[in-house]
Amino acid sequence: MTAPEGPLVIGVDSSTQSTKVLVVDAPTGEVVARGQAPHTVSPGDRRESDPEEWWQALSTAVARCGKVAGEAAAVSVAGQQHGLVTLDADGRPVRPALLWNDVRSAPQRDRLLAGLGGPQAWARRVGSVPAPAFTVTKWAWLCENEPEAARETAAVRLPHDFLTERLTGQAGTDRGDASGTGWWSSHTGSYDEEILSLAALDPALLPPVHRAGEAAGTVAKTDGGFLTPGTLVATGTGDNMAAALGLGLLPGQPVLSLGTSGTVYAVSDRSPADPSGTVAGFADAGSGWLPLACTLNCTLAVDRLAALLSRDREDVEAGGRVTALPFLDGERTPDLPYATGLLTGLQQATTGGQVLQAAYDGAVFALLRALDLVLGQAGDDTSDAPLLLIGGGAKGVAWRETVRRLSGRAVQVPRAEELVALGAAAQAAGLLLGEDPAAVARRWNTADGPAYEPVERDEAALTRLSATLEGARTLLDMRH
Ligand SMILES: Nc1ncnc2c1ncn2[C@@H]1O[C@H](COP(=O)(O)OP(=O)(O)O)[C@@H](O)[C@H]1O
Ligand SMILES: O=C(CO)[C@@H](O)[C@H](O)COP(=O)(O)O
């Protein structure tokens, strides 16, 4: 079978909760088909998923797009960042992948920080101070807790590398996703041997890092023949880098993404280095950078509180003095990996709707607190730019109104949904057409959507949240 010539391309978003696939017309950006399939994440303290399930989900989601998927000339896979995928000599997972939101590697993170001379040394060297999300901390956890699994590992991959390699039969990653490992420097654009040695990871286990715009290969063969052999495969990238591409983002445009993770970021022409560790100095999927802060408790935490209160997620009420820090899974921003959720200010008159609103406030507060630092690292004036609101939560009125009230900024909600998959599609289209993927996305007008005027910032709520966070630090830092 010969590979199709286009104009269709496929963009894949293999994120925490599901795989989403879009078949897109490369010249116009029109989405002609979409498919989705869920993932399983282990409950309790572990956050693990089986990479084989991602591969199956990819096959199912492509099949759900219908026959048109077989007509695509190029494909690109974006994936949740940081996850540690360990493969044996036959390319089979040695164990389930340790995901970005698994905080069990917090003690190993602390030791790695000290081993290199503290947070400043890490920021200077690789652009980021690793959180327990970073792959390097997960590898250290594996070596310490499951040394046999570490010994059996013949290849270390990120989620999107694993899927791309399954498609092409060739190892490779990209600079965006590599910058979330902790062992690749976004300053020098190379693996850091001293850090690899500190983490006891053999560099031979790692994939080569493709340059932006390079092909990762072509579809070699797929189990169910779900993509046509010979189809071009772009490098792919991390999901946040893909969303930035999908928006055709330019410096000076801040983004707030509401998904399983909450993220705030901007693209930048300068290489970030935040010694406080709040801002990760990621590389983007092109030749620039993506200073970003990420929270662990966003849509799932608020949905969980809504479920506990037996309320619809939109059923919020204003008023009262209740304050919530919804750190149900520990938290990364602020850096409180051992935290649990906190509710304070409950009174006889407090209503369930006010408690739910407080959960939204707490989740958004954590992101907005980090946004100023992100924009400081990016270094571009964003004062006139609306905050671009994306991710599954951007569909919700309660999320949008909370962001407006606590930020005091204008907000724009792109009409295009699935910006991660669209960014991957733009990468595939860029490869097919020989164009810059971000320029392709700008031509597709993916950021267009309703704009909402600024409203007065709710300083009283922000002050209450700051005071609660500072007052409860000891409690939130306590190991349970
Ligand atoms: N209409 C909606 N209103 C508010 N939130 C929504 C809506 N639809 C989906 N969501 C939220 O979106 C989240 C998934 O977001 P998404 O960005 O797809 O996640 P992921 O991080 O897995 O990519 C769900 O946890 C859900 O809470
Ligand atoms: O850890 C980060 C960013 O550093 C997360 O943003 C992950 O990339 C997971 O993303 P989602 O599944 O929530 O999209």
Side-chain angles (χ1 to χ4, degrees), residues 176-340:
D177 221 3
S179 65
T181 57
W183 52 60
W184 186 88
S185 168
S186 62
H187 297 320
T188 64
S190 54
Y191 288 124
D192 187 305
E193 293 195 3
E194 188 181 339
I195 291 176
L196 287 170
S197 148
L198 186 66
L201 177 59
D202 179 355
L205 269 53
L206 296 174
V209 184
H210 294 300
R211 281 197 311 278
E214 257 179 8
T218 55
V219 171
K221 65 173 172 63
T222 50
D223 281 348
F226 64 85
L227 287 173
T228 310
T231 302
L232 274 175
V233 183
T235 55
T237 192
D239 56 0
N240 289 292
M241 294 79 199
L245 267 190
L247 288 163
L249 214 59
L250 292 167
Q253 296 181 292
V255 179
L256 194 153
S257 173
L258 301 164
T260 313
S261 62
T263 58
V264 278
Y265 55 86
V267 293
S268 169
D269 293 333
R270 66 184 205 196
S271 189
D274 171 22
S276 81
T278 301
V279 184
F282 296 144
D284 71 7
S287 53
W289 287 269
L290 192 75
L292 177 150
C294 172
T295 61
L296 298 187
N297 297 284
C298 192
T299 57
L300 285 184
V302 170
D303 283 355
R304 179 73 191 123
L305 273 145
L308 282 174
L309 294 161
S310 303
R311 296 184 92 84
D312 182 87
R313 61 159 76 96
E314 293 292 355
D315 201 1
V316 291
E317 286 171 275
R321 294 222 306 262
V322 66
T323 302
L325 297 174
F327 301 159
L328 310 191
D329 283 335
E331 192 38 78
R332 169 166 158 191
T333 309
D335 182 17
L336 294 164
Y338 306 108
T340 52

Side-chain angles (χ1 to χ4, degrees), residues 75-450:
V75 58
S76 183
V77 180
Q80 53 175 307
Q81 292 182 245
H82 310 295
L84 175 72
V85 179
T86 45
L87 304 177
D88 66 15
D90 297 322
R92 304 263 162 228
V94 167
R95 71 179 312 291
L98 292 162
L99 305 189
W100 61 279
N101 51 354
D102 188 319
V103 293
R104 283 175 295 166
S105 57
Q108 287 74 23
R109 185 277 304 267
D110 292 346
R111 285 199 278 282
L112 285 166
L113 283 190
L116 198 72
Q120 206 137 23
W122 279 87
R124 209 171 34 237
R125 219 169 158 108
V126 291
S128 300
V129 180
F134 278 54
T135 331
V136 66
T137 70
K138 300 187 183 301
W139 176 256
W141 182 91
L142 191 73
C143 292
E144 215 170 301
N145 291 280
E146 298 179 13
E148 264 179 42
R151 267 195 301 277
E152 207 188 319
T153 300
V156 167
R157 299 290 182 262
L158 292 163
H160 105 265
D161 310 344
F162 165 74
L163 293 167
T164 305
E165 189 170 339
R166 277 277 169 103
L167 288 174
T168 60
Q170 287 169 271
T173 189
D174 88 298
R175 65 191 288 276
D177 221 3
S179 65
T181 57
W183 52 60
W184 186 88
S185 168
S186 62
H187 297 320
T188 64
S190 54
Y191 288 124
D192 187 305
E193 293 195 3
E194 188 181 339
I195 291 176
L196 287 170
S197 148
L198 186 66
L201 177 59
D202 179 355
L205 269 53
L206 296 174
V209 184
H210 294 300
R211 281 197 311 278
E214 257 179 8
T218 55
V219 171
K221 65 173 172 63
T222 50
D223 281 348
F226 64 85
L227 287 173
T228 310
T231 302
L232 274 175
V233 183
T235 55
T237 192
D239 56 0
N240 289 292
M241 294 79 199
L245 267 190
L247 288 163
L249 214 59
L250 292 167
Q253 296 181 292
V255 179
L256 194 153
S257 173
L258 301 164
T260 313
S261 62
T263 58
V264 278
Y265 55 86
V267 293
S268 169
D269 293 333
R270 66 184 205 196
S271 189
D274 171 22
S276 81
T278 301
V279 184
F282 296 144
D284 71 7
S287 53
W289 287 269
L290 192 75
L292 177 150
C294 172
T295 61
L296 298 187
N297 297 284
C298 192
T299 57
L300 285 184
V302 170
D303 283 355
R304 179 73 191 123
L305 273 145
L308 282 174
L309 294 161
S310 303
R311 296 184 92 84
D312 182 87
R313 61 159 76 96
E314 293 292 355
D315 201 1
V316 291
E317 286 171 275
R321 294 222 306 262
V322 66
T323 302
L325 297 174
F327 301 159
L328 310 191
D329 283 335
E331 192 38 78
R332 169 166 158 191
T333 309
D335 182 17
L336 294 164
Y338 306 108
T340 52
L342 184 84
L343 260 185
T344 176
L346 288 169
Q347 295 174 298
Q348 287 287 354
T350 305
T351 65
Q354 289 170 347
V355 175
L356 183 56
Q357 180 59 66
Y360 278 98
D361 282 15
V364 170
F365 160 74
L367 285 165
L368 291 176
R369 219 166 149 259
L371 179 63
D372 288 341
L373 289 172
V374 166
L375 298 180
Q377 286 290 320
D380 297 290
D381 180 18
T382 65
S383 46
D384 292 335
L387 201 48
L388 290 164
L389 204 61
I390 67 165
K395 292 183 239 174
V397 176
W399 278 113
R400 187 188 72 219
E401 291 310 308
T402 305
V403 171
R404 289 179 77 200
R405 182 170 50 79
L406 293 187
S407 71
R409 296 185 75 119
V411 165
Q412 185 171 326
V413 184
R415 222 168 270 114
E417 291 179 8
E418 309 309 349
L419 282 150
V420 176
L422 261 184
Q427 216 182 25
L431 180 65
L432 184 69
L433 306 172
E435 281 184 60
D436 169 20
V440 170
R442 284 194 284 278
R443 195 175 66 230
W444 292 350
N445 291 321
T446 47
D448 281 4

